[in-house]
Amino acid sequence: MELEPKVKEYFDGGGRDIVSVKANEDYTLLLTFDNGEKRIYDLKPLEGVFKCLEPMSVFKRVYIDDCGCVAWDKDPNVDSEKVWDNKIDLCPDSCYLDSVPADPQ
């Protein structure tokens, strides 16, 4: 099975690490990658596992976890390292591939 060109190009380049994440008021994320590139990841509409992020106060608790993933703790008072189903996360590869440039040229 051959990868689609966009995915092949991304992985041929070695992938990207996320260095910062910011939650926007419209349920999008501003992601900054290790090459300085800024991209927008759109989570609208919040469905399935992401539905619990609907209150903006919860959505804004986004962070980059120890594995370099974009993450949220469902309950900030629970240690997600001990309670595995307390955390929702997105891997850096899918964040890059499923996002768009923040300032399209």
Side-chain angles (χ1 to χ4, degrees):
M1 182 173 96
E2 192 168 323
L3 296 174
E4 66 180 76
K6 174 184 168 183
V7 175
K8 182 176 180 347
E9 178 183 342
Y10 172 78
F11 283 108
D12 284 349
R16 293 276 167 238
D17 293 325
I18 300 169
V19 296
S20 71
V21 59
K22 177 184 176 263
N24 299 315
E25 296 291 329
D26 62 352
Y27 292 101
T28 62
L29 300 171
L30 175 62
L31 304 167
T32 304
F33 290 85
D34 58 351
N35 64 349
E37 189 174 358
K38 294 184 183 301
R39 298 179 67 85
I40 300 291
Y41 188 95
D42 193 346
L43 279 124
K44 299 180 307 283
L46 295 176
E47 298 176 327
V49 68
F50 298 103
K51 189 73 173 162
C52 69
L53 303 176
E54 197 161 54
M56 186 55 64
S57 60
V58 175
F59 186 71
K60 287 195 170 214
R61 290 195 318 245
V62 66
Y63 65 96
I64 300 170
D65 70 10
D66 293 341
C67 297
C69 297
V70 171
W72 295 264
D73 294 323
K74 295 178 194 175
D75 182 340
N77 301 310
V78 173
D79 183 350
S80 291
E81 296 297 316
K82 295 180 181 170
V83 181
W84 68 269
D85 65 347
N86 186 56
K87 183 163 71 171
I88 298 169
D89 61 5
L90 299 165
C91 80
D93 298 330
S94 65
C95 284
Y96 189 90
L97 290 167
D98 295 335
S99 63
V100 297
D103 290 318
Q105 302 295 330

